[in-house]
Amino acid sequence: NVAVLLAVPSLFVCNSRAFGAAAGEPVAKAKQEAESKGYIFVTSHDEIIDKAKKEGRLRAVTGLSPSAIKPMVEAFKKKYVFLDVHVEEIEGTDAYERFLLELKAGAAKGWDATYLPYDNYKAFLPYQMKLDILGMVSSGILNIHPKMVDPGNRNTISPNTVPQVVVYNRKLMPEEKLPEKWEDFLKPELKGRKFMADIRPRSVAALVPAWGLERTLEFARKLAAQDPVWVRGGTRAITQLQAGEFALCLAFQFSSTKRAQGKDPAGTLGYKLVEPVPVRMVSRIDGVLSMAEHPMAALLWLEFQASAEGQKVLEDYGPFQASIFTTGSALERETRGKKLSEVNWEQLGKMDEYEAKIVEAYRFPKAK
């Protein structure tokens, strides 16, 4: 409940270990190690701010939801009044591919911070500045939860988390009949167009960390044999649920479902977290472009989104898109104590492979 978070702001703080300098790792040594590996390491937050003041500008493309861009920019500008800030949304496969072509051609000049699409992360990585964000976090220089930072590449962050939840129509599906575990979708009473499932199996692929690939593929084969209603994307499916066309959805995004509930005065829409809860710990990814003219301003932009102030914007205006690592966020509270299937940075590059194998197990259904 956002009202509760507003009323008790002390609960909404970054759930991180202390941001002080790591024991036994002086900043000078961390800088030396970073630079020996080709990374840029700034030794104090004040130095980052001083350099950003000299830069004076920030130009960023973002994957933030449209409802969150304006309040995020306003809050950022209020904190860093010396920056001239311009942020544009980038959305959709065509836009990502076009921007990637511009990066390859060296034609994407003028941008400092960028969004790295979840499905094309590796392709965008070579164009990111080698800032040792993880090293600066570990040394207490940047206020970012360490698990938000890619531990392998060290220069990108993911300040929000996406779990998948079972969604249902309360008028058509009594709560006591909801699945208690994912295998309950395989029961005979749910066979024959009794529930919707996304033709793109992100939610099922996100079970691999908890179940392993073979068990997940076996589940996918049995799921397809249930003859669900195949759909593409959660927005349309949720609309069909609210209209009473169907009673149950396999799994869709938590934030999209919560947002739809806010526009559902009749209270028709319900959701349930089924364990293990599929959670993409890595979702919207941000970095600083190697060609950035204002890299320190861009670094402050990344840090701000991961800070308590930025996380509150994601919670209130995303809405419900704050990270699971932020104490007091709706997601952190609802998943507390539950078993999770965590898609972390290590698994990020494997998800396309998992999804392709699951679609094959589905026998390539077509959206109806």
Side-chain angles (χ1 to χ4, degrees):
N1 187 300
V2 175
V4 173
L5 292 174
L6 289 170
V8 194
S10 61
L11 291 178
F12 201 85
V13 295
C14 238
N15 180 21
S16 169
R17 298 182 182 90
F19 283 106
E25 189 184 14
V27 171
K29 182 180 178 182
K31 177 180 173 67
Q32 184 180 19
E33 289 179 355
E35 291 179 345
S36 70
K37 297 174 182 176
Y39 285 93
I40 298 167
F41 188 103
V42 186
T43 55
S44 76
H45 200 269
D46 287 343
E47 183 182 349
I48 295 172
I49 291 176
D50 288 343
K51 289 181 177 180
K53 284 180 179 178
K54 292 176 182 177
E55 293 169 355
R57 303 180 74 193
L58 169 70
R59 298 294 180 264
V61 290
T62 183
L64 284 168
S65 60
S67 59
I69 292 175
K70 184 179 179 181
M72 186 70 79
V73 170
E74 288 177 348
F76 180 70
K77 288 171 68 175
K78 185 176 180 180
K79 184 167 185 175
Y80 298 111
V81 294
F82 51 82
L83 288 175
D84 173 22
V85 181
H86 176 76
V87 178
E88 286 187 14
E89 179 192 16
I90 183 168
E91 176 62 33
T93 303
D94 290 345
Y96 304 152
E97 291 179 352
R98 190 161 52 246
F99 191 63
L100 182 59
L101 288 173
E102 290 175 3
L103 288 172
K104 290 179 178 179
K109 295 179 180 178
W111 297 111
D112 303 306
T114 189
Y115 168 65
L116 292 80
Y118 177 85
D119 298 317
N120 212 1
Y121 180 55
K122 288 183 179 179
F124 278 77
L125 263 177
Y127 305 98
Q128 309 308 307
M129 187 173 289
K130 289 195 69 174
L131 290 160
D132 188 4
I133 294 176
L134 184 58
M136 288 183 270
V137 167
S138 300
S139 296
I141 295 161
L142 290 173
N143 185 1
I144 300 173
H145 193 289
K147 288 188 177 181
M148 292 183 182
V149 187
D150 183 342
N153 294 291
R154 305 178 72 87
N155 62 340
T156 56
I157 74 164
S158 181
N160 71 318
T161 310
V162 177
Q164 306 288 332
V165 296
V166 170
V167 191
Y168 66 102
N169 182 309
R170 287 194 174 108
K171 296 178 180 178
L172 300 178
M173 174 68 70
E175 189 172 348
E176 61 271 17
K177 290 189 177 181
L178 286 172
E180 293 291 333
K181 56 185 185 296
W182 294 108
E183 290 88 346
D184 287 347
F185 277 94
L186 308 179
K187 289 182 175 180
E189 56 265 35
L190 288 180
K191 186 177 178 64
R193 297 177 59 81
K194 297 293 175 57
F195 63 92
M196 291 185 282
D198 199 331
I199 196 170
R200 184 173 187 181
R202 280 186 169 181
S203 54
V204 177
L207 289 170
V208 173
W211 280 1
L213 182 58
E214 289 309 312
R215 179 179 173 184
T216 305
L217 291 176
E218 181 63 21
F219 174 73
R221 285 187 281 268
K222 292 178 179 179
L223 191 71
Q226 289 289 84
D227 187 28
V229 177
W230 296 107
V231 295
R232 179 65 178 94
T235 302
R236 181 178 177 183
I238 287 173
T239 301
Q240 290 177 288
L241 271 181
Q242 289 176 302
E245 294 179 33
F246 298 98
L248 184 65
C249 287
L250 177 70
F252 289 113
Q253 288 189 17
F254 172 75
S255 58
S256 300
T257 305
K258 293 282 282 185
R259 185 164 58 246
Q261 281 188 323
K263 300 175 182 179
D264 178 27
T268 304
L269 204 63
Y271 68 89
K272 180 176 181 177
L273 278 73
V274 174
E275 299 181 60
V277 182
V279 180
R280 280 187 279 146
M281 314 302 274
V282 180
S283 179
R284 182 175 55 81
I285 307 169
D286 293 283
V288 178
L289 285 169
S290 55
M291 62 180 69
E293 296 177 13
H294 316 104
M296 294 300 104
L299 189 55
L300 291 176
W301 170 246
L302 267 59
E303 179 192 41
F304 185 79
Q305 293 176 71
S307 71
E309 300 148 286
Q311 289 290 293
K312 194 166 190 311
V313 172
L314 289 176
E315 185 75 1
D316 293 354
Y317 297 97
F320 305 104
Q321 291 184 351
S323 172
I324 197 170
F325 302 123
T326 300
T327 301
S329 69
L331 176 55
E332 186 274 329
R333 287 183 286 114
E334 293 213 30
T335 57
R336 199 178 293 166
K338 293 188 180 295
K339 183 179 179 182
L340 308 180
S341 182
E342 302 182 10
V343 179
N344 58 25
W345 290 100
E346 184 182 353
Q347 280 120 16
L348 176 62
K350 303 174 184 176
M351 294 307 290
D352 283 348
E353 175 192 347
Y354 296 159
E355 288 184 28
K357 288 184 176 181
I358 291 167
V359 169
E360 186 176 357
Y362 284 168
R363 296 190 177 182
F364 304 98
K366 303 294 183 182
K368 297 176 182 178

